[in-house]
Amino acid sequence: MLRRMKPISVILSSSRHHYRRGVTTWSPLTTAFNTRPEKRINFTRNEVGLFGVPELTSYEGFYALKEKAIFKTDDLIEEATSATRTRKMVTIFDELSDTLCKVADLAEFIRLAHPVPNFCHAAEDACISISGIVEKLNTHKPLYRALKAVVEGGDRMETTDVDKHVASLFLFDFEQCGIHLKESDRQRVVYLNDCILQLGQRFMAGAVHPRSISKNVLPEAIRHFFSADGDNILVSGLYADSANSMAREAAYRLFLYPDAQQEHLLSELLKARLQLATVCGFPTYAHRALKASTMETPEMVNEFLQTLNEQLRPRAEKDFAVMRKMKASECGANMPLAAWDTPYFTSSLKRTYLQASASEYSPYFSLGACMEGLNLLMNSLYGITLQNTEMAPGESWSHDIYKLAVTHETEGLLGYIYCDLFERQGKPNQDCHFTIQGGKVMDGDQYQNPIVVVMLNLAQPRWSGPTLLTPSMVDNLFHEMGHAMHSMLARTEYQHVTGTRCSTDFAEVPSVLMEYFASDPRVLRSFAKHFQTQEPMPEAMLERLCASKNVFAASETQLQVFYSALDQIYHGPASEWRGNGESTTETLKKVQEQYYGLSYVENTAWQLRFSHLVGYGAKYYSYLISRAIASWIWQTYFERDPFSRTQGEKYRRGCLAYGGGIPSRLLVSNFLGREVTAANLTNSLINEIDTFSERLQPPPGSVAGSLR
């Protein structure tokens, strides 16, 4: 957005010793991201259109893009079904996918992020139109038969293992819509998918709806903690950070009180998913959801959860023992530890380790310093620089966007990352990564470079200084940039499997791995400098910060195991969650007793507020698997030296480069040299927890310290 910076090799000494110390003056990248973005007035240059797409100088250009996609789709269908085609079937299908994704992905992002309503509406219309095209393709039987013949009998052209894998993924996508079924069953699949969509939307809306009760229900002493609505009190969350134990308990019991409508919606959603799986030939919805995943089957997931749970139980109990003592110290009585206490005491102990508020760490984490930290890390691991690049008029959707050119020292430009980092009215309040254009090999061995957007919601920089990040914001930035670099470094032949377009339980591995870098003192030392003085963060502060990220790791992990196990049972055989006509809450009680160290709270139903059951149905375990694999990679390749170019190249060439082009289970086992088993995955997490537990020295005078 400002100007292209020089390659990092020009700015820094090539000596590893000097490189790791960082720089003594702010780099151009730091300066750019620490400078308040300003609107620019264009007097002479023609606008190039959003993301450089010439049609999008106006919102009306979405109509032209849509029409071009329709015409090209028709041509590709004709080619795929032709008896005289001259290209591999998978190549034609990938071009078909690329044609539609280039419009759909771009339109979906603009629909969410553009501040001008006309652009949003036009983008939404384009999304609907492309969805209509996809629905028609999903019923195009000659196209399906042409692909199926190639997958089952081989192509007339020579194909590789990657070709066969990607073709099989296209076929599975086709069959998800029931095209291979008799017409009555196919119509049933369409009907059930529509039911699942509507039930999910209604359930998610109800999951966040506040609970309104008469103020007389609450003791007068805690009413002021909640929002008032006339004679009623609105409970809109769990108030987990409240220091008042009574307020936490009241919020938990009221917000999570069973709701008959939500129970009905969840039960119907689970039934519809099971029926869908059965019609499509799967024993359960979990079997359908896990096909082509790293874990492959629900049986493997359950083995992992049970193995991990056995190892976690005694370790989590030690965490709970500390929390019980903290509660007794704070409340002045030997009160039992309950589910509403754990988030509060976890945060409390983290603050004790920090010995300061999170905001006191922020001056060392200016946005520019963090971006330079990422640049230093990428350069060290992969020989890559992040170069702030000036955009042409009309290229961005808001004036406060940065554009990074991702450039390799010998390979040249790898792609672009647009950074939409600041909050603004109407922008989604979420941190996420969007693929605008996937990487793929083009005709003539040219490469279509990836284009992505990293979206955060940071405060706009003030005139008096740059945007400052809290430690958790730094973690989020590194996480989302992990997704972006996965997209940049996955030099796949096909865009259908580029970067993050891989199995759900592997897609988070590169981003979670980046959180390990963001939690390592050696990495933080390279960029955590005061935005005014450029003084490095004091060593004691830095060590306390890294330690604070690992408090109560065992109990936090056990909670994720519990959530994952419940999700698997809900999406498993009907007998496991509907036996004797039991409710989803009765199932919850049984699963909690088996998988979690704290008792179920009577007359609560937190699963009816658990919206992840909609978006991650049967896949919630993916967080744990991704973390286990990321931890395994960290311990094997980077724990000894997080700046190692040798290990970075191994990781890039042996893992990131493939995207979803190789089955993720095979990819992980090949890269780590061991089978992906429940025992190996469990060991990686338990080793991590035990290592941090040994290093974690309780703060002097703390309750945790006195217990130990």
Side-chain angles (χ1 to χ4, degrees):
M1 179 175 277
L2 296 176
R3 56 174 61 91
R4 186 180 298 270
M5 64 177 285
K6 295 179 181 179
I8 198 76
S9 56
V10 175
I11 298 172
L12 304 180
S13 165
S14 61
S15 158
R16 174 159 294 200
H17 173 72
H18 287 100
Y19 175 78
R20 290 187 184 174
R21 281 194 320 185
V23 291
T24 56
T25 58
W26 293 131
S27 70
L29 187 69
T30 305
T31 302
F33 277 83
N34 275 354
T35 302
R36 183 184 178 93
E38 297 294 339
K39 291 183 179 179
R40 296 189 173 190
I41 301 175
N42 175 38
F43 291 109
T44 58
R45 297 169 64 187
N46 293 329
E47 293 198 349
V48 299
L50 293 171
F51 294 104
V53 178
E55 289 86 351
L56 294 183
T57 55
S58 162
Y59 67 87
E60 295 170 334
F62 275 110
Y63 178 80
L65 287 179
K66 178 181 63 178
E67 291 300 303
K68 286 174 66 174
I70 291 171
F71 289 134
K72 188 169 184 180
T73 296
D74 290 341
D75 290 343
L76 289 168
I77 291 172
E78 184 176 347
E79 180 183 3
T81 55
S82 171
T84 59
R85 64 179 170 86
T86 57
R87 295 195 296 168
K88 289 186 286 190
M89 183 66 74
V90 67
T91 302
I92 300 170
F93 261 79
D94 192 66
E95 187 173 344
L96 180 59
S97 172
D98 188 47
T99 298
L100 297 174
C101 286
K102 277 183 180 177
V103 181
D105 292 342
L106 188 155
E108 177 64 11
F109 172 74
I110 293 300
R111 181 184 74 83
L112 294 170
H114 206 291
V116 177
N118 283 344
F119 265 101
C120 295
H121 296 153
E124 184 171 16
D125 288 343
C127 288
I128 293 171
S129 296
I130 297 299
S131 295
I133 296 171
V134 171
E135 287 179 14
K136 289 181 180 178
L137 289 176
N138 287 336
T139 61
H140 198 297
K141 292 203 171 183
L143 188 63
Y144 167 71
R145 286 193 291 266
L147 176 63
K148 184 178 176 67
V150 166
V151 170
E152 294 183 348
D155 205 335
R156 68 183 70 159
M157 291 80 176
E158 185 177 351
T159 56
T160 65
D161 288 341
V162 171
D163 294 334
K164 295 171 185 176
H165 172 63
V166 176
S168 68
L169 292 177
F170 278 122
L171 186 66
F172 177 63
D173 289 344
F174 239 137
E175 294 181 347
Q176 291 271 62
C177 300
I179 193 171
H180 60 303
L181 305 173
K182 62 183 182 181
E183 185 59 20
S184 60
D185 286 343
R186 192 192 70 78
Q187 290 292 344
R188 179 72 175 158
V189 168
V190 172
Y191 168 75
L192 288 169
N193 275 320
D194 186 55
C195 287
I196 290 167
L197 177 63
Q198 294 187 41
L199 288 166
Q201 290 173 340
R202 291 168 62 192
F203 179 82
M204 290 184 70
V208 296
H209 194 270
R211 184 67 51 97
S212 179
I213 58 162
S214 170
K215 65 181 182 181
N216 296 323
V217 171
L218 288 177
E220 189 172 351
I222 62 172
R223 290 177 192 170
H224 67 280
F225 286 101
F226 304 94
S227 301
D229 182 21
D231 289 333
N232 289 340
I233 293 290
L234 289 179
V235 184
S236 55
L238 295 178
Y239 295 76
D241 293 331
S242 175
N244 187 293
S245 179
M246 286 180 61
R248 293 198 304 271
E249 179 178 358
Y252 189 94
R253 291 185 181 278
L254 291 170
F255 190 65
L256 299 183
Y257 190 79
D259 180 283
Q261 176 65 9
Q262 284 292 97
E263 172 66 32
H264 171 74
L265 291 172
L266 179 56
S267 295
E268 291 300 308
L269 175 65
L270 297 177
K271 282 190 243 179
R273 283 176 168 171
L274 180 58
Q275 291 172 25
L276 175 65
T278 303
V279 173
C280 291
F282 294 93
T284 70
Y285 185 80
H287 284 88
R288 181 178 185 266
L290 269 62
K291 185 176 173 66
S293 67
T294 305
M295 298 304 281
E296 295 182 347
T297 68
E299 290 77 16
M300 253 211 86
V301 173
N302 290 326
E303 182 187 356
F304 165 66
L305 295 176
Q306 290 167 10
T307 304
L308 181 57
N309 185 53
E310 290 172 6
Q311 294 290 321
L312 283 172
R313 189 170 291 278
R315 293 167 172 83
E317 184 51 42
K318 289 182 180 179
D319 289 352
F320 293 138
V322 175
M323 292 187 212
R324 288 187 186 98
K325 190 158 186 179
M326 292 174 73
K327 186 170 183 179
S329 174
E330 190 168 294
C331 298
N334 193 22
M335 298 176 65
L337 186 71
W340 54 79
D341 294 319
T342 53
Y344 170 73
F345 287 114
T346 300
S347 297
S348 178
L349 190 58
K350 284 184 178 181
R351 288 192 298 271
T352 302
Y353 271 97
L354 290 174
Q355 298 181 22
S357 67
S359 62
E360 291 181 57
Y361 284 79
S362 295
Y364 297 94
F365 293 128
S366 68
L367 176 59
C370 294
M371 295 305 298
E372 182 60 20
L374 284 162
N375 184 41
L376 293 171
L377 185 61
M378 295 303 103
N379 190 269
S380 180
L381 294 175
Y382 312 119
I384 283 170
T385 57
L386 306 177
Q387 301 172 325
N388 186 58
T389 304
E390 184 175 348
M391 282 182 281
E395 187 176 349
S396 70
W397 51 100
S398 182
H399 72 278
D400 55 0
I401 311 300
Y402 299 97
K403 179 183 180 183
L404 292 176
V406 180
T407 307
H408 189 269
E409 59 193 13
T410 60
E411 299 168 29
L413 181 67
L414 299 182
Y416 290 109
I417 303 172
Y418 289 81
C419 299
D420 186 351
L421 305 181
F422 302 113
E423 60 188 3
R424 62 176 177 272
Q425 187 174 3
K427 179 181 173 182
N429 186 24
Q430 57 186 354
D431 298 342
C432 49
H433 160 272
F434 294 86
T435 298
I436 304 301
Q437 175 176 283
K440 66 168 297 198
V441 174
M442 306 289 284
D443 292 338
D445 290 331
Q446 296 296 309
Y447 199 81
Q448 174 177 285
N449 282 330
I451 299 172
V452 304
V453 176
V454 168
M455 178 186 283
L456 302 180
N457 277 272
L458 306 176
Q460 286 276 0
R462 301 174 181 270
W463 290 111
S464 58
T467 293
L468 303 179
L469 280 65
T470 64
S472 64
M473 293 175 184
V474 177
D475 291 341
N476 289 350
L477 173 62
F478 271 63
H479 180 100
E480 299 306 334
M481 285 296 290
H483 284 309
M485 293 310 300
H486 193 188
S487 295
M488 295 296 112
L489 295 174
R491 310 306 280 181
T492 54
E493 184 173 357
Y494 301 113
Q495 64 81 38
H496 189 65
V497 291
T498 188
T500 56
R501 291 174 179 167
C502 53
S503 66
T504 304
D505 56 3
F506 182 75
E508 293 293 325
V509 170
S511 54
V512 172
L513 180 62
M514 284 298 291
E515 294 180 33
Y516 285 85
F517 286 98
S519 301
D520 189 279
R522 294 163 294 182
V523 175
L524 292 178
R525 282 189 199 102
S526 71
F527 70 91
K529 297 179 175 64
H530 199 284
F531 77 98
Q532 291 175 318
T533 66
Q534 299 188 34
E535 287 295 316
M537 180 182 291
E539 192 66 19
M541 281 185 72
L542 189 148
E543 293 291 346
R544 291 198 303 269
L545 171 60
C546 294
S548 72
K549 296 184 179 185
N550 301 297
V551 300
F552 296 145
S555 55
E556 291 270 359
T557 305
Q558 188 187 55
L559 185 63
Q560 294 300 319
V561 170
F562 168 36
Y563 291 166
S564 301
L566 184 67
D567 178 46
Q568 285 299 302
I569 288 173
Y570 279 160
H571 292 97
S575 58
E576 292 189 20
W577 59 272
R578 289 173 63 195
N580 301 317
E582 69 182 25
S583 67
T584 63
T585 302
E586 289 166 319
T587 301
L588 163 71
K589 291 168 66 174
K590 288 194 275 189
V591 177
Q592 183 161 347
E593 183 178 348
Q594 180 181 353
Y595 284 95
Y596 195 48
L598 296 181
S599 299
Y600 165 77
V601 179
E602 291 296 332
N603 292 317
T604 63
W606 68 257
Q607 82 282 6
L608 302 182
R609 297 283 188 179
F610 194 47
S611 60
H612 286 306
L613 288 172
V614 175
Y616 287 88
K619 294 182 180 181
Y620 188 80
Y621 78 92
S622 297
Y623 165 80
L624 277 172
I625 292 297
S626 293
R627 186 179 150 206
I629 295 172
S631 180
W632 194 354
I633 292 172
W634 173 261
Q635 293 171 46
T636 304
Y637 287 92
F638 299 112
E639 189 171 40
R640 181 175 297 177
D641 181 2
F643 296 99
S644 171
R645 178 64 178 271
T646 300
Q647 303 294 59
E649 286 295 336
K650 288 180 182 177
Y651 176 53
R652 180 193 176 188
R653 307 295 177 183
C655 194
L656 295 178
Y658 294 103
I662 293 178
S664 54
R665 183 180 182 81
L666 178 62
L667 176 65
V668 172
S669 62
N670 285 347
F671 180 59
L672 290 167
R674 297 176 69 186
E675 286 298 312
V676 180
T677 64
N680 287 336
L681 292 168
T682 295
N683 287 340
S684 73
L685 288 176
I686 295 300
N687 287 342
E688 175 189 319
I689 290 170
D690 287 349
T691 299
F692 283 130
S693 180
E694 291 169 5
R695 294 175 184 170
L696 210 55
Q697 295 300 318
S702 69
V703 173
S706 64
L707 181 67
R708 296 189 184 186

